[in-house]
Amino acid sequence: MLEQINMKKKADWQDYDARMAHLEIRMGELQRKCKELGIPIMIVFEGFEASGKGTMINKMIQPLDPRGFKVFTMEKEYEEDKMHPYLWRYSIKTPEKGRIHIFDRSWYQGLENNCLSMEEIRQYERQFTDDGMVLIKFFLAITKKEQKKRLAKLEEEKSTKWRVQKKDWQKNKEYDTCLLQFDRMLIQTDTSNAPWTVVEAMEKRYAICKIMTTVVNCLESAVHQREAGVKVNEPVQELSDDLLSGVLNGIDLTLDLEPEEYKRKRKDLQRRMASLHNKMYLKRVPVILAFEGWDAGGKGGAIKRITQCMDPRGYEVVPIASPNDTEKAHHYLWRFWEKFPKDGHMAIFDRTWYGRVLVERIEGFATPAEWKRAYAEINNMEAHLARSGAIVLKFWMHIDKEEQEKRFKQRQDTPEKQWKITDEDWRNREKWDEYVKAVDEMIVRTSTKNAPWHIIEANSKLYARIKVLEIVVEALERVLD
C-alpha cells in the first residue's frame, strides 16, 4: 500500500492561497455547525518519525475556535497510564458532543508493544462511530532519505535537538521493516466507519491542503447526515425465546443460612479477604466488582461485608446514578472508564454500565439500535480489562417480587431507612416482567469466561452476603495464591 504512494506530490502554487483561504473559512463554519448539532470529533495523527505531525496539527487548528478543541500528545506513557488498562488513557480523553479532540499518536501505539490487536482496535473505533462520532485518521508518509534529512536538521538546532532520540535513528535504519508494519496496520484497520487518509508529507503545503480538505469533507458529510436524520442501525442477531427465558426463573430463592453459621463463615472469609487485599496491592492486580440487581436486592449489604475488612485507601465504592449533563455528552462508557482502578486497587460498582441494557432499554433512554449493540461493546471493554490483568466479577442480586415488596414496606416503616425508598422504586415494580426479560438477555449475552455473571439467591440476606464473599475470595485466591 505505502510503496504505491506517490511521494513527489506538491501543491499547485498558483491556487494554493485561494484554496487554503476557502478551507480555513469552511473549517470554522463546520466547527460551529458540529457544536450546534452536538457532533463529537476525533482526529488522529500517525506516521513516520519526523513526518511533520506536530506541524500539520498546528496549521490545521489555526482556523478553529480554541475553546472548542483540545490537542493531546500521546507518545509518552506516564506511570499513571501504565497502572491502568492500556485503553484507559485514550478513553478518558474522548470528546463530548460538539467538541474536537486531536491526538498526536494514538491507540495504534498499542500494536508496537502487543497491548492491542487489530481486531481490538477495529472494535474500539466502531463503538465511537456507531455512537455518532466522526473519527478522522491521518497517516503521514515520507521517504527514508527525507526522514534522515529531517532528523539531522532537528539535531543540528539547539532548540530542537531534544526531540531526536536514539530510537528515532534506529527506526530510520529499520525503515523498510517499519514500512511493512505500517502497511499491515493501515490495510487491516482501514474500515468504512474509520478509514485512513494517507498524506504524502514530503511537501508541507501539499500535506496541509490534503489534511484540511479531508477534514472539511468529513465534517460536511457528518453534518449532512445528522440534518437528514441518518442513524446507525446495526442489526443484532436475535436470540430464541428458549435461550432468553428462564434464566432467573430457575434460581432457587429458598436457600438460607443460620445466623451462627453465617457469623462463622463471615469471620473466616473476611480474614482471608484482608490478606488478599494486601496481596492485590503487592502484586499490582486490579479488581473490578460490578453489582446489579433488583431494588432492595441487597447490593449495599453485600458490598459492606466485602469492604469491612479492607484498607479504605485501597478500594473505592462507586455509586452509579442517572448520568449528569457532562456524562450524557460523552459515549455512555466514558464515565466508567474514569473510575476503573489502577493496578493493585479495587473498584466496586453499585450499579454499572449495564444500565444501558436494563433501565435505558426499558425506559426508552436508549434506542433499540443503541442498547442492542451495547452487548458487544461491553464484552469488548471487559475483555480488554481482563487482558490488561484485571479480575472482573459481576453479580446479579436476585430476589422475588414478594420479597421486594416486603423490604420496600420495611424501609417505609423505618425512619432511618426511608431515604432508601422512592416513588421510582415502586413504579419500577410495574415493569417487573420487562426487566426479567432484559436481565435474562443481559446474562446470556455478556457472561463470559473472563467476566462471568454470578446470580446471587438474595431472598436470604445472610446467604447472599456469604455467597458473594465466597465468590470474591475464591476468585482472588486462584490468581494471587
Side-chain angles (χ1 to χ4, degrees):
M1 181 178 180
L2 288 176
E3 290 179 342
Q4 308 305 317
I5 300 297
N6 180 5
M7 295 291 195
K8 297 180 180 180
K9 289 184 178 180
K10 295 184 178 181
D12 185 337
W13 288 73
Q14 292 183 339
D15 68 354
Y16 173 80
D17 290 337
R19 187 172 182 183
M20 286 298 294
H22 167 74
L23 288 169
E24 288 174 356
I25 293 172
R26 191 65 181 133
M27 284 268 286
E29 293 172 343
L30 287 165
Q31 181 191 22
R32 293 188 290 274
K33 193 64 178 178
C34 287
K35 180 181 179 181
E36 176 189 329
L37 295 172
I39 300 174
I41 302 153
M42 280 202 294
I43 304 177
V44 169
F45 282 82
E46 294 286 353
F48 286 99
E49 300 300 323
S51 58
K53 294 184 290 294
T55 300
M56 293 300 107
I57 290 172
N58 186 50
K59 287 184 175 295
M60 183 191 72
I61 63 176
Q62 294 308 310
L64 300 176
D65 183 339
R67 296 169 296 181
F69 72 82
K70 190 168 185 179
V71 177
F72 298 95
T73 303
M74 303 300 295
E75 184 164 16
K76 184 176 180 179
E77 189 177 14
Y78 295 93
E79 286 304 313
E80 182 71 9
D81 301 327
K82 295 176 182 178
M83 293 183 72
H84 285 87
Y86 184 77
L87 287 173
W88 173 81
R89 66 184 185 126
Y90 302 106
S91 297
I92 63 173
K93 295 178 176 65
T94 54
E96 63 185 69
K97 295 174 182 176
R99 287 187 58 83
I100 302 172
H101 283 189
I102 302 160
F103 291 83
D104 179 357
R105 301 301 309 273
S106 69
W107 43 90
Y108 282 91
Q109 296 177 99
L111 295 172
E112 299 174 15
N113 48 22
N114 294 318
C115 290
L116 292 177
S117 66
M118 300 285 191
E119 179 59 24
E120 283 180 291
I121 287 177
R122 290 191 293 265
Q123 293 169 349
Y124 186 65
E125 294 176 348
R126 188 69 191 232
Q127 69 174 328
F128 297 122
T129 57
D130 278 356
D131 200 49
M133 184 177 292
V134 178
L135 177 54
I136 306 171
K137 302 185 301 190
F138 293 110
F139 184 89
L140 275 58
I142 54 175
T143 63
K144 182 178 182 178
K145 183 178 179 180
E146 178 67 15
Q147 184 185 50
K148 184 176 182 180
K149 175 183 172 182
R150 292 186 186 185
L151 289 173
K153 185 176 181 180
L154 288 170
E155 212 167 44
E156 287 174 4
E157 298 290 334
K158 289 185 179 180
S159 60
T160 57
K161 186 176 181 179
W162 63 273
R163 292 171 56 184
V164 182
Q165 302 176 25
K166 288 184 179 179
K167 66 183 180 78
D168 299 325
W169 284 111
Q170 185 63 32
K171 287 185 177 181
N172 181 251
K173 291 180 181 179
E174 300 170 353
Y175 180 92
D176 292 339
T177 300
C178 292
L179 183 73
L180 292 174
Q181 292 172 342
F182 284 140
D183 212 44
R184 178 170 170 264
M185 176 193 82
L186 292 170
I187 291 171
Q188 295 194 22
T189 59
D190 184 58
T191 59
S192 59
N193 59 292
W196 280 104
T197 297
V198 177
V199 179
E200 303 85 345
M202 297 288 286
E203 205 263 335
K204 293 180 181 179
R205 289 196 173 205
Y206 176 84
I208 188 57
C209 193
K210 183 170 183 177
I211 287 169
M212 291 184 67
T213 300
T214 302
V215 173
V216 165
N217 290 341
C218 289
L219 298 189
E220 284 180 339
S221 177
V223 167
H224 174 73
Q225 290 185 34
R226 181 63 62 88
E227 291 181 331
V230 177
K231 294 183 180 179
V232 175
N233 190 13
E234 282 295 305
V236 176
Q237 182 180 358
E238 298 293 336
L239 297 179
S240 69
D241 290 339
D242 289 341
L243 188 58
L244 289 179
S245 62
V247 176
L248 294 183
N249 288 339
I251 304 303
D252 182 2
L253 292 176
T254 65
L255 296 173
D256 202 352
L257 201 63
E258 294 297 324
E260 288 303 316
E261 185 180 5
Y262 165 76
K263 291 179 183 178
R264 177 179 58 79
K265 287 189 173 183
R266 186 191 68 185
K267 183 177 180 181
D268 174 62
L269 289 165
Q270 289 184 333
R271 175 185 58 78
R272 290 154 67 188
M273 185 70 231
S275 175
L276 288 165
H277 193 210
N278 290 328
K279 291 180 181 179
M280 274 172 50
Y281 182 79
L282 292 173
K283 294 188 177 183
R284 291 292 188 261
V285 176
V287 177
I288 298 167
L289 306 183
F291 283 85
E292 289 286 354
W294 298 107
D295 293 328
K299 296 182 295 297
I303 291 170
K304 185 175 181 180
R305 271 64 188 182
I306 294 171
T307 60
Q308 278 178 334
C309 55
M310 294 167 61
D311 186 332
R313 295 169 296 181
Y315 72 85
E316 180 184 8
V317 177
V318 185
I320 299 299
S322 300
N324 58 36
D325 290 343
T326 299
E327 292 165 343
K328 287 179 182 178
H330 285 84
H331 188 275
Y332 73 97
L333 291 176
W334 173 80
R335 62 177 175 148
F336 302 105
W337 274 104
E338 286 208 315
K339 295 297 184 179
F340 287 142
K342 61 184 179 181
D343 292 350
H345 288 67
M346 178 184 289
I348 305 172
F349 289 86
D350 183 352
R351 299 293 188 189
T352 70
W353 42 97
Y354 284 97
R356 188 67 157 189
V357 297
L358 294 175
V359 64
E360 292 185 37
R361 166 183 176 172
I362 300 302
E363 302 299 334
F365 300 139
T367 66
E370 289 172 336
W371 63 257
K372 285 183 178 181
R373 66 173 178 258
Y375 298 117
E377 293 169 348
I378 289 170
N379 283 340
N380 293 337
M381 180 185 74
E382 291 175 350
H384 179 70
L385 295 174
R387 188 177 177 219
S388 298
I391 297 173
V392 183
L393 299 173
K394 303 178 300 196
F395 299 95
W396 175 263
M397 306 299 289
H398 187 51
I399 58 176
D400 59 34
K401 202 171 183 179
E402 291 72 25
E403 178 64 21
Q404 186 188 59
E405 183 178 20
K406 175 184 173 183
R407 294 184 185 183
F408 278 7
K409 289 179 178 178
Q410 287 177 341
R411 289 178 175 184
Q412 284 185 329
D413 296 338
T414 307
E416 63 270 24
K417 292 186 178 182
Q418 288 174 355
W419 64 273
K420 291 185 175 184
I421 187 74
T422 66
D423 291 340
E424 185 179 353
D425 295 328
W426 286 105
R427 284 195 301 271
N428 288 341
R429 281 175 57 81
E430 299 174 5
K431 299 181 179 180
W432 182 278
D433 292 341
E434 292 179 63
Y435 274 100
V436 168
K437 181 179 178 181
V439 173
D440 280 353
E441 185 166 5
M442 173 191 76
I443 291 171
V444 169
R445 288 191 182 275
T446 62
S447 190
T448 62
K449 180 180 178 180
N450 292 323
W453 274 106
H454 298 278
I455 303 175
I456 307 300
E457 303 88 341
N459 266 18
S460 165
K461 293 182 179 180
L462 300 185
Y463 179 87
R465 292 166 183 172
I466 292 301
K467 183 171 181 179
V468 170
L469 265 171
E470 286 176 338
I471 291 169
V472 174
V473 167
E474 290 171 7
L476 266 61
E477 285 178 341
R478 283 195 295 272
V479 174
L480 299 173
D481 285 347

